[in-house]
Amino acid sequence: ITVLRNPSGDLANVKSVTNPEAAAGGSDAETVAEVKQRGPQSLKHRQRAVTGEDFRWLALEASGEVAQARCLPTRNPIGLPEPGWVTAVITPESTDAKPTPSPTLVRRVRDYLEDHALANLSEVNHICVTGPAYIEVTVTAQVEPSEPEKADEVELAVLERLETFLHPLQGGPEREGWELGRDVYLSEVYAEIEAISGVDHVAAVRLLGSLQQHRLRLQQSGGVRRAPFTLPVGAQVSTFDERIKLLLAEPVL
């Protein structure tokens, strides 16, 4: 709030100031280890994005808010192979369960990459910047506590540890975050649970992901006809009750 006073000391004008978006752009100072990583890469790309690794490091340099970046060469905005496109996936610094970049951050990184990319990409707007697509992971575990009377405490400890372990930026085996695209292994989940004080042993563990790949085959049977038109790559198909939805990675002719 800015208050202006006239010479007599009375309030002359009051203006309200609001922020349409949350404040952003700040970041912690670089550590020595981070400088040692960034320095050689800066000398290598020399502020020009040519290779996928160049795009990744320039995306990190575009803003201190970017915690992780990955370049997907020849990938269009929906993630499918297409020559002449570059997609950069960025993860912002955040404690949210699913860190997602703001539109402002996406624009800032895209503009920065376009300024440093080859003209054939910048001029045709074939640089896409987006946030990560998260895969929901469900862990079902049967845990035997060392002391049965403390089963509730052990259950809570297991839930808290797994939530931290699976966090995109704070989790991972080394608690340094998950590399974009890295798989989660069942053995790692076992190790996390068994490391908890009060756990005697893990009887069983199941690890389920929300994203799976299937080969879709359509055939005429039972009076049901095939689609009278081609279903293009990227089209979404679903059952009538929409309980199962699929995104086509290949066209269905």
Side-chain angles (χ1 to χ4, degrees), residues 32-54:
V32 174
E34 290 172 338
V35 173
K36 289 182 178 180
Q37 279 190 315
R38 181 179 58 81
Q41 294 298 330
S42 297
L43 293 174
K44 181 180 178 181
H45 62 63
R46 296 183 180 275
Q47 297 299 306
R48 181 58 59 186
V50 179
T51 67
E53 193 68 4
D54 295 340

Side-chain angles (χ1 to χ4, degrees), residues 53-112:
E53 193 68 4
D54 295 340
F55 274 94
R56 186 175 83 86
W57 280 99
L58 285 168
L60 290 170
E61 293 179 9
S63 172
E65 294 180 70
V66 180
Q68 292 180 338
R70 181 179 180 184
C71 176
L72 304 176
T74 66
R75 294 278 178 169
N76 63 22
I78 62 174
L80 298 175
E82 184 175 345
W85 274 94
V86 171
T87 293
V89 182
I90 60 173
T91 308
E93 288 284 1
S94 175
T95 57
D96 295 342
K98 297 180 180 180
T100 302
S102 66
T104 301
L105 180 58
V106 169
R107 288 194 301 269
R108 184 182 302 127
V109 174
R110 185 179 62 243
D111 291 344
Y112 190 83

Side-chain angles (χ1 to χ4, degrees), residues 18-205:
T18 59
N19 289 331
E21 296 184 5
S27 62
D28 297 331
E30 279 188 304
T31 64
V32 174
E34 290 172 338
V35 173
K36 289 182 178 180
Q37 279 190 315
R38 181 179 58 81
Q41 294 298 330
S42 297
L43 293 174
K44 181 180 178 181
H45 62 63
R46 296 183 180 275
Q47 297 299 306
R48 181 58 59 186
V50 179
T51 67
E53 193 68 4
D54 295 340
F55 274 94
R56 186 175 83 86
W57 280 99
L58 285 168
L60 290 170
E61 293 179 9
S63 172
E65 294 180 70
V66 180
Q68 292 180 338
R70 181 179 180 184
C71 176
L72 304 176
T74 66
R75 294 278 178 169
N76 63 22
I78 62 174
L80 298 175
E82 184 175 345
W85 274 94
V86 171
T87 293
V89 182
I90 60 173
T91 308
E93 288 284 1
S94 175
T95 57
D96 295 342
K98 297 180 180 180
T100 302
S102 66
T104 301
L105 180 58
V106 169
R107 288 194 301 269
R108 184 182 302 127
V109 174
R110 185 179 62 243
D111 291 344
Y112 190 83
L113 293 179
E114 288 179 348
D115 289 341
H116 295 79
L118 299 177
N120 62 330
L121 288 175
S122 301
E123 292 178 356
V124 296
N125 297 320
H126 274 199
I127 298 177
C128 173
V129 177
T130 184
Y134 292 102
I135 298 177
E136 183 178 344
V137 175
T138 301
V139 177
T140 303
Q142 182 178 347
V143 180
E144 296 293 336
S146 303
E147 302 177 47
E149 64 274 12
K150 296 184 178 180
D152 291 342
E153 297 178 15
V154 171
E155 180 181 2
L156 181 60
V158 170
L159 292 174
E160 291 179 348
R161 188 177 183 98
L162 290 181
E163 285 181 359
T164 301
F165 172 70
L166 295 173
H167 190 273
L169 298 178
Q170 301 173 356
E174 305 299 328
R175 297 301 189 266
E176 296 179 353
W178 292 93
E179 180 182 352
L180 289 170
R182 182 193 184 285
D183 291 330
V184 181
Y185 298 104
L186 192 61
S187 58
E188 295 173 326
V189 179
Y190 265 106
E192 288 293 323
I193 299 176
E194 291 184 338
I196 297 173
S197 175
V199 173
D200 182 75
H201 68 277
V202 180
V205 172

